[in-house]
PDB file of all heavy atoms in Angstrom:
ATOM      1  N   PHE U  10       8.126  61.587-112.262  1.00 89.00           N
ATOM      2  CA  PHE U  10       9.428  61.056-112.649  1.00 89.00           C
ATOM      3  C   PHE U  10       9.984  60.138-111.558  1.00 89.00           C
ATOM      4  O   PHE U  10      10.524  59.063-111.831  1.00 89.00           O
ATOM      5  CB  PHE U  10      10.381  62.225-112.916  1.00 89.00           C
ATOM      6  CG  PHE U  10      11.701  61.810-113.475  1.00 89.00           C
ATOM      7  CD1 PHE U  10      11.775  61.069-114.638  1.00 89.00           C
ATOM      8  CD2 PHE U  10      12.872  62.164-112.838  1.00 89.00           C
ATOM      9  CE1 PHE U  10      12.979  60.676-115.152  1.00 89.00           C
ATOM     10  CE2 PHE U  10      14.089  61.779-113.346  1.00 89.00           C
ATOM     11  CZ  PHE U  10      14.144  61.040-114.501  1.00 89.00           C
ATOM     12  N   TRP U  30      17.900  33.784-112.456  1.00 94.00           N
ATOM     13  CA  TRP U  30      17.615  32.437-111.954  1.00 94.00           C
ATOM     14  C   TRP U  30      17.543  31.447-113.109  1.00 94.00           C
ATOM     15  O   TRP U  30      18.138  30.363-113.061  1.00 94.00           O
ATOM     16  CB  TRP U  30      16.288  32.424-111.176  1.00 94.00           C
ATOM     17  CG  TRP U  30      15.871  31.027-110.893  1.00 94.00           C
ATOM     18  CD1 TRP U  30      16.310  30.250-109.871  1.00 94.00           C
ATOM     19  CD2 TRP U  30      15.027  30.207-111.694  1.00 94.00           C
ATOM     20  NE1 TRP U  30      15.778  28.998-109.973  1.00 94.00           N
ATOM     21  CE2 TRP U  30      14.984  28.941-111.083  1.00 94.00           C
ATOM     22  CE3 TRP U  30      14.294  30.408-112.866  1.00 94.00           C
ATOM     23  CZ2 TRP U  30      14.237  27.890-111.612  1.00 94.00           C
ATOM     24  CZ3 TRP U  30      13.557  29.372-113.391  1.00 94.00           C
ATOM     25  CH2 TRP U  30      13.531  28.130-112.762  1.00 94.00           C
ATOM     26  N   TYR U  31      16.817  31.847-114.176  1.00 94.00           N
ATOM     27  CA  TYR U  31      16.641  30.947-115.319  1.00 94.00           C
ATOM     28  C   TYR U  31      17.985  30.610-115.960  1.00 94.00           C
ATOM     29  O   TYR U  31      18.288  29.445-116.243  1.00 94.00           O
ATOM     30  CB  TYR U  31      15.714  31.600-116.345  1.00 94.00           C
ATOM     31  CG  TYR U  31      15.586  30.825-117.623  1.00 94.00           C
ATOM     32  CD1 TYR U  31      14.876  29.640-117.655  1.00 94.00           C
ATOM     33  CD2 TYR U  31      16.185  31.277-118.793  1.00 94.00           C
ATOM     34  CE1 TYR U  31      14.754  28.926-118.819  1.00 94.00           C
ATOM     35  CE2 TYR U  31      16.059  30.568-119.960  1.00 94.00           C
ATOM     36  CZ  TYR U  31      15.347  29.387-119.968  1.00 94.00           C
ATOM     37  OH  TYR U  31      15.239  28.679-121.119  1.00 94.00           O
ATOM     38  N   SER U  34      19.993  28.295-113.808  1.00 93.00           N
ATOM     39  CA  SER U  34      19.406  26.951-113.792  1.00 93.00           C
ATOM     40  C   SER U  34      19.732  26.204-115.077  1.00 93.00           C
ATOM     41  O   SER U  34      20.068  25.013-115.055  1.00 93.00           O
ATOM     42  CB  SER U  34      17.892  27.074-113.607  1.00 93.00           C
ATOM     43  OG  SER U  34      17.293  25.815-113.603  1.00 93.00           O
ATOM     44  N   LEU U  37      23.379  25.163-114.958  1.00 92.00           N
ATOM     45  CA  LEU U  37      23.559  24.034-114.041  1.00 92.00           C
ATOM     46  C   LEU U  37      23.109  22.735-114.696  1.00 92.00           C
ATOM     47  O   LEU U  37      23.801  21.705-114.634  1.00 92.00           O
ATOM     48  CB  LEU U  37      22.749  24.306-112.769  1.00 92.00           C
ATOM     49  CG  LEU U  37      22.925  23.337-111.600  1.00 92.00           C
ATOM     50  CD1 LEU U  37      24.354  23.386-111.112  1.00 92.00           C
ATOM     51  CD2 LEU U  37      21.972  23.704-110.477  1.00 92.00           C
ATOM     52  N   GLU U  38      21.969  22.802-115.359  1.00 92.00           N
ATOM     53  CA  GLU U  38      21.441  21.601-116.003  1.00 92.00           C
ATOM     54  C   GLU U  38      22.406  21.108-117.084  1.00 92.00           C
ATOM     55  O   GLU U  38      22.646  19.910-117.223  1.00 92.00           O
ATOM     56  CB  GLU U  38      20.072  21.914-116.612  1.00 92.00           C
ATOM     57  CG  GLU U  38      19.414  20.681-117.212  1.00 92.00           C
ATOM     58  CD  GLU U  38      18.013  20.962-117.708  1.00 92.00           C
ATOM     59  OE1 GLU U  38      17.510  22.076-117.482  1.00 92.00           O
ATOM     60  OE2 GLU U  38      17.435  20.060-118.325  1.00 92.00           O
ATOM     61  N   GLU U  41      25.402  19.393-115.536  1.00 91.00           N
ATOM     62  CA  GLU U  41      25.047  18.050-115.062  1.00 91.00           C
ATOM     63  C   GLU U  41      24.937  17.084-116.226  1.00 91.00           C
ATOM     64  O   GLU U  41      25.440  15.957-116.166  1.00 91.00           O
ATOM     65  CB  GLU U  41      23.717  18.112-114.306  1.00 91.00           C
ATOM     66  CG  GLU U  41      23.835  18.776-112.942  1.00 91.00           C
ATOM     67  CD  GLU U  41      22.495  18.892-112.248  1.00 91.00           C
ATOM     68  OE1 GLU U  41      21.514  18.348-112.790  1.00 91.00           O
ATOM     69  OE2 GLU U  41      22.437  19.536-111.200  1.00 91.00           O
ATOM     70  N   PHE U  90      11.262  59.437-125.133  1.00 92.00           N
ATOM     71  CA  PHE U  90      11.122  60.837-124.698  1.00 92.00           C
ATOM     72  C   PHE U  90      11.534  61.796-125.809  1.00 92.00           C
ATOM     73  O   PHE U  90      10.813  62.724-126.151  1.00 92.00           O
ATOM     74  CB  PHE U  90      11.993  61.051-123.450  1.00 92.00           C
ATOM     75  CG  PHE U  90      11.948  62.462-122.924  1.00 92.00           C
ATOM     76  CD1 PHE U  90      10.958  62.848-122.050  1.00 92.00           C
ATOM     77  CD2 PHE U  90      12.907  63.373-123.333  1.00 92.00           C
ATOM     78  CE1 PHE U  90      10.912  64.142-121.580  1.00 92.00           C
ATOM     79  CE2 PHE U  90      12.866  64.673-122.859  1.00 92.00           C
ATOM     80  CZ  PHE U  90      11.865  65.057-121.980  1.00 92.00           C
ATOM     81  N   THR U  93       9.277  61.538-129.031  1.00 90.00           N
ATOM     82  CA  THR U  93       7.962  62.165-128.872  1.00 90.00           C
ATOM     83  C   THR U  93       8.055  63.680-128.796  1.00 90.00           C
ATOM     84  O   THR U  93       7.202  64.387-129.345  1.00 90.00           O
ATOM     85  CB  THR U  93       7.287  61.631-127.588  1.00 90.00           C
ATOM     86  OG1 THR U  93       7.296  60.215-127.624  1.00 90.00           O
ATOM     87  CG2 THR U  93       5.852  62.106-127.488  1.00 90.00           C
ATOM     88  N   ASN U  94       9.091  64.175-128.136  1.00 90.00           N
ATOM     89  CA  ASN U  94       9.086  65.596-127.799  1.00 90.00           C
ATOM     90  C   ASN U  94       9.931  66.486-128.700  1.00 90.00           C
ATOM     91  O   ASN U  94       9.963  67.684-128.477  1.00 90.00           O
ATOM     92  CB  ASN U  94       9.543  65.773-126.352  1.00 90.00           C
ATOM     93  CG  ASN U  94       8.516  65.217-125.399  1.00 90.00           C
ATOM     94  OD1 ASN U  94       7.370  65.628-125.414  1.00 90.00           O
ATOM     95  ND2 ASN U  94       8.910  64.246-124.603  1.00 90.00           N
ATOM     96  N   ASN U  96      10.623  67.726-132.753  1.00 69.00           N
ATOM     97  CA  ASN U  96       9.915  67.708-134.031  1.00 69.00           C
ATOM     98  C   ASN U  96      10.920  67.434-135.135  1.00 69.00           C
ATOM     99  O   ASN U  96      11.589  68.293-135.584  1.00 69.00           O
ATOM    100  CB  ASN U  96       9.251  69.052-134.310  1.00 69.00           C
ATOM    101  CG  ASN U  96       8.877  69.739-133.015  1.00 69.00           C
ATOM    102  OD1 ASN U  96       8.378  69.087-132.115  1.00 69.00           O
ATOM    103  ND2 ASN U  96       9.158  71.025-132.897  1.00 69.00           N
TER     104      ASN U  96
ATOM    105  N   TRP S 114       4.809  61.125-117.213  1.00 87.00           N
ATOM    106  CA  TRP S 114       5.900  60.168-117.076  1.00 87.00           C
ATOM    107  C   TRP S 114       5.468  58.719-117.088  1.00 87.00           C
ATOM    108  O   TRP S 114       6.273  57.834-117.322  1.00 87.00           O
ATOM    109  CB  TRP S 114       6.694  60.426-115.792  1.00 87.00           C
ATOM    110  CG  TRP S 114       7.639  61.558-115.935  1.00 87.00           C
ATOM    111  CD1 TRP S 114       7.556  62.773-115.317  1.00 87.00           C
ATOM    112  CD2 TRP S 114       8.799  61.614-116.749  1.00 87.00           C
ATOM    113  NE1 TRP S 114       8.584  63.567-115.708  1.00 87.00           N
ATOM    114  CE2 TRP S 114       9.371  62.885-116.576  1.00 87.00           C
ATOM    115  CE3 TRP S 114       9.423  60.720-117.619  1.00 87.00           C
ATOM    116  CZ2 TRP S 114      10.525  63.277-117.239  1.00 87.00           C
ATOM    117  CZ3 TRP S 114      10.570  61.112-118.262  1.00 87.00           C
ATOM    118  CH2 TRP S 114      11.105  62.372-118.073  1.00 87.00           C
ATOM    119  N   TYR S 119       4.074  57.244-123.261  1.00 91.00           N
ATOM    120  CA  TYR S 119       4.529  57.980-124.445  1.00 91.00           C
ATOM    121  C   TYR S 119       5.506  59.087-124.082  1.00 91.00           C
ATOM    122  O   TYR S 119       6.157  59.638-124.960  1.00 91.00           O
ATOM    123  CB  TYR S 119       3.327  58.574-125.180  1.00 91.00           C
ATOM    124  CG  TYR S 119       2.571  57.542-125.980  1.00 91.00           C
ATOM    125  CD1 TYR S 119       1.495  56.872-125.451  1.00 91.00           C
ATOM    126  CD2 TYR S 119       2.960  57.242-127.272  1.00 91.00           C
ATOM    127  CE1 TYR S 119       0.817  55.924-126.185  1.00 91.00           C
ATOM    128  CE2 TYR S 119       2.288  56.298-128.009  1.00 91.00           C
ATOM    129  CZ  TYR S 119       1.223  55.643-127.468  1.00 91.00           C
ATOM    130  OH  TYR S 119       0.560  54.705-128.192  1.00 91.00           O
ATOM    131  N   PHE S 120       5.561  59.438-122.803  1.00 92.00           N
ATOM    132  CA  PHE S 120       6.474  60.491-122.323  1.00 92.00           C
ATOM    133  C   PHE S 120       6.294  61.765-123.143  1.00 92.00           C
ATOM    134  O   PHE S 120       7.254  62.345-123.624  1.00 92.00           O
ATOM    135  CB  PHE S 120       7.925  60.004-122.357  1.00 92.00           C
ATOM    136  CG  PHE S 120       8.082  58.651-121.727  1.00 92.00           C
ATOM    137  CD1 PHE S 120       8.343  57.537-122.487  1.00 92.00           C
ATOM    138  CD2 PHE S 120       7.922  58.504-120.366  1.00 92.00           C
ATOM    139  CE1 PHE S 120       8.451  56.293-121.905  1.00 92.00           C
ATOM    140  CE2 PHE S 120       8.036  57.260-119.770  1.00 92.00           C
ATOM    141  CZ  PHE S 120       8.304  56.154-120.547  1.00 92.00           C
ATOM    142  N   PHE S 122       5.388  65.565-123.527  1.00 92.00           N
ATOM    143  CA  PHE S 122       5.330  66.802-122.755  1.00 92.00           C
ATOM    144  C   PHE S 122       5.156  68.016-123.660  1.00 92.00           C
ATOM    145  O   PHE S 122       5.197  69.134-123.199  1.00 92.00           O
ATOM    146  CB  PHE S 122       6.622  66.988-121.940  1.00 92.00           C
ATOM    147  CG  PHE S 122       6.840  65.901-120.935  1.00 92.00           C
ATOM    148  CD1 PHE S 122       7.540  64.758-121.275  1.00 92.00           C
ATOM    149  CD2 PHE S 122       6.322  66.007-119.663  1.00 92.00           C
ATOM    150  CE1 PHE S 122       7.715  63.745-120.353  1.00 92.00           C
ATOM    151  CE2 PHE S 122       6.501  65.002-118.746  1.00 92.00           C
ATOM    152  CZ  PHE S 122       7.196  63.867-119.085  1.00 92.00           C
ATOM    153  N   ASP S 123       5.014  67.758-124.961  1.00 91.00           N
ATOM    154  CA  ASP S 123       5.110  68.856-125.916  1.00 91.00           C
ATOM    155  C   ASP S 123       3.757  69.206-126.531  1.00 91.00           C
ATOM    156  O   ASP S 123       3.678  69.573-127.699  1.00 91.00           O
ATOM    157  CB  ASP S 123       6.100  68.494-127.018  1.00 91.00           C
ATOM    158  CG  ASP S 123       5.606  67.343-127.873  1.00 91.00           C
ATOM    159  OD1 ASP S 123       4.758  66.578-127.376  1.00 91.00           O
ATOM    160  OD2 ASP S 123       6.042  67.229-129.025  1.00 91.00           O
ATOM    161  N   GLU S 130       2.352  72.828-134.294  1.00 94.00           N
ATOM    162  CA  GLU S 130       2.634  72.082-135.521  1.00 94.00           C
ATOM    163  C   GLU S 130       1.351  71.785-136.275  1.00 94.00           C
ATOM    164  O   GLU S 130       1.306  71.892-137.507  1.00 94.00           O
ATOM    165  CB  GLU S 130       3.332  70.763-135.190  1.00 94.00           C
ATOM    166  CG  GLU S 130       4.764  70.890-134.758  1.00 94.00           C
ATOM    167  CD  GLU S 130       5.290  69.549-134.266  1.00 94.00           C
ATOM    168  OE1 GLU S 130       5.111  68.555-134.980  1.00 94.00           O
ATOM    169  OE2 GLU S 130       5.864  69.512-133.164  1.00 94.00           O
ATOM    170  N   GLN S 200      11.369  25.162-116.973  1.00 92.00           N
ATOM    171  CA  GLN S 200      12.619  24.912-116.263  1.00 92.00           C
ATOM    172  C   GLN S 200      12.363  24.810-114.766  1.00 92.00           C
ATOM    173  O   GLN S 200      12.872  23.918-114.092  1.00 92.00           O
ATOM    174  CB  GLN S 200      13.600  26.057-116.563  1.00 92.00           C
ATOM    175  CG  GLN S 200      14.965  25.890-115.952  1.00 92.00           C
ATOM    176  CD  GLN S 200      15.803  24.898-116.722  1.00 92.00           C
ATOM    177  OE1 GLN S 200      15.385  24.399-117.764  1.00 92.00           O
ATOM    178  NE2 GLN S 200      16.981  24.606-116.222  1.00 92.00           N
ATOM    179  N   PHE S 201      11.545  25.730-114.262  1.00 91.00           N
ATOM    180  CA  PHE S 201      11.236  25.740-112.832  1.00 91.00           C
ATOM    181  C   PHE S 201      10.544  24.446-112.438  1.00 91.00           C
ATOM    182  O   PHE S 201      10.874  23.827-111.421  1.00 91.00           O
ATOM    183  CB  PHE S 201      10.345  26.940-112.523  1.00 91.00           C
ATOM    184  CG  PHE S 201       9.897  27.001-111.089  1.00 91.00           C
ATOM    185  CD1 PHE S 201      10.810  27.262-110.087  1.00 91.00           C
ATOM    186  CD2 PHE S 201       8.579  26.795-110.750  1.00 91.00           C
ATOM    187  CE1 PHE S 201      10.418  27.316-108.770  1.00 91.00           C
ATOM    188  CE2 PHE S 201       8.177  26.848-109.430  1.00 91.00           C
ATOM    189  CZ  PHE S 201       9.095  27.105-108.442  1.00 91.00           C
ATOM    190  N   GLU S 203      10.636  21.547-114.015  1.00 88.00           N
ATOM    191  CA  GLU S 203      11.496  20.366-114.184  1.00 88.00           C
ATOM    192  C   GLU S 203      12.557  20.289-113.093  1.00 88.00           C
ATOM    193  O   GLU S 203      12.837  19.216-112.573  1.00 88.00           O
ATOM    194  CB  GLU S 203      12.159  20.451-115.561  1.00 88.00           C
ATOM    195  CG  GLU S 203      13.040  19.266-115.901  1.00 88.00           C
ATOM    196  CD  GLU S 203      13.896  19.566-117.115  1.00 88.00           C
ATOM    197  OE1 GLU S 203      13.411  20.274-118.008  1.00 88.00           O
ATOM    198  OE2 GLU S 203      15.052  19.118-117.145  1.00 88.00           O
ATOM    199  N   ARG S 204      13.162  21.442-112.758  1.00 86.00           N
ATOM    200  CA  ARG S 204      14.322  21.441-111.879  1.00 86.00           C
ATOM    201  C   ARG S 204      13.966  21.619-110.412  1.00 86.00           C
ATOM    202  O   ARG S 204      14.705  21.173-109.547  1.00 86.00           O
ATOM    203  CB  ARG S 204      15.286  22.566-112.277  1.00 86.00           C
ATOM    204  CG  ARG S 204      15.723  22.517-113.694  1.00 86.00           C
ATOM    205  CD  ARG S 204      16.834  21.546-113.905  1.00 86.00           C
ATOM    206  NE  ARG S 204      17.973  21.834-113.050  1.00 86.00           N
ATOM    207  CZ  ARG S 204      19.049  21.082-113.002  1.00 86.00           C
ATOM    208  NH1 ARG S 204      19.130  20.003-113.757  1.00 86.00           N
ATOM    209  NH2 ARG S 204      20.038  21.398-112.213  1.00 86.00           N
TER     210      ARG S 204
END
Side-chain angles (χ1 to χ4, degrees):
Chain U
F10 187 56
W30 169 83
Y31 174 72
S34 179
L37 187 63
E38 184 175 354
E41 287 177 6
F90 179 86
T93 307
N94 292 303
N96 331 317
Chain S
W114 281 112
Y119 283 93
F120 312 109
F122 298 90
D123 66 337
E130 287 172 50
Q200 183 77 5
F201 177 68
E203 182 193 325
R204 304 279 304 176

